[in-house]
Amino acid sequence: MLPPRHRAVFISDVHLGSRHCHAAELADFLARLRCGQLYLVGDIVDFWWMAQRRAAWGAGQHRAVEALHALAAAGTELVYVPGNHDRPVRRYCGLVLPAMQVRRRAIHETADGRRLLVVHGDDYDAVTHFSGLQERFGDWLYYRILTGNRLTNAARRRLGLRYWSLADWIKRRSSAAERYIARFVQAGLDDARRRGLDGIVCGHIHRAGLFERDGLVYANDGDWVESLTAMVEESDGGLRLLTHGGEVLATLAPREPWRLPIGRVA
């Protein structure tokens, strides 16, 4: 039996080429995927890591790229919205390439009529980031945590245990991390509101989330170094946040027909 076909799928923060990318899990997820549109919401290839450190590129990374090619060949429309770690791709924004479109930002209209801003999220760094030594120490500490996350899950696999994010567990116990994430969420929602849109789909902060606040949708598709998640839109416009194994973490039901703007049909 074929897996269900999603209307659209959103993934980001894959960080192909970095040591902490879970490329094999992504390749397995993409191999099972059937969708009309696939949005690559930034930091897909980690050019920053590869320029600073030794690139990590093996069988999993090759399989992930091949799976993307297979989706395009099967008729999936690919839309690439580059982030800060794949910033060089932004020079191609506005181009419609044979296999994909490249956009600085996009507006996705769901089947139920909601118009969502699709952007990586690094545009909000000026609002959300710490500065100076505190930020540099945070970056150093984060990569040490990711190393611990990788080693922990290597041990769990040998014991037959499922994936568990040590990095997310630590961050959720940090008041500074939680304040940073709260500022990021609000900055994204404020941007969508200023543009007259119904919400935002983003990545960047490596914290998956799906909820509605003050009438606006906040959808963060997560990442493939910590949470291993993706956002999907179903045929009725409903949104779901999924793990790499297909477990549903959160849902947003389709908008009721009476809430649609006049003249717009779901």
Side-chain angles (χ1 to χ4, degrees), residues 42-57:
D43 288 4
I44 303 303
V45 179
D46 199 330
F47 293 113
W48 181 89
W49 175 281
M50 291 190 288
Q52 301 291 324
R53 299 172 172 86
R54 184 177 179 180
W57 199 279

Side-chain angles (χ1 to χ4, degrees), residues 130-150:
F130 299 109
S131 60
L133 181 62
Q134 189 176 15
E135 182 175 344
R136 289 194 295 273
F137 175 73
D139 289 342
W140 177 87
L141 180 60
Y142 179 62
Y143 282 106
R144 302 290 82 71
I145 291 172
L146 286 182
T147 298
N149 190 74
R150 181 166 49 85

Side-chain angles (χ1 to χ4, degrees), residues 167-179:
D168 186 61
W169 184 84
I170 292 173
K171 286 198 302 184
R172 288 184 183 277
R173 282 150 182 79
S174 165
S175 58
E178 293 301 307
R179 289 195 302 271

Side-chain angles (χ1 to χ4, degrees), residues 35 41 52-53 56 78 81 102-104 107 115 117 125 141 154 164 174-175 178 183 197 225 228 237 241 258 265:
C35 58
V41 195
Q52 301 291 324
R53 299 172 172 86
L78 302 185
V81 181
V102 184
R103 295 286 182 264
R104 181 67 178 82
I107 295 176
R115 298 174 69 238
L117 174 66
D125 283 353
L141 180 60
W164 173 74
S174 165
S175 58
E178 293 301 307
R183 291 197 300 271
L197 301 174
V225 297
L228 281 60
L241 180 64
W258 59 266
V265 179

Side-chain angles (χ1 to χ4, degrees), residues 1-7 9 27-36 71 74 76 232-235 240 242 244-246:
M1 177 182 292
L2 290 174
R5 180 179 177 86
H6 307 293
R7 188 169 184 268
V9 176
D28 291 341
F29 177 82
L30 293 174
R32 297 190 302 268
L33 196 59
R34 298 174 65 243
C35 58
L71 283 167
T76 295
V232 303
E233 182 202 350
E234 307 300 2
S235 59
R240 296 196 297 165
L242 303 180
H244 67 289

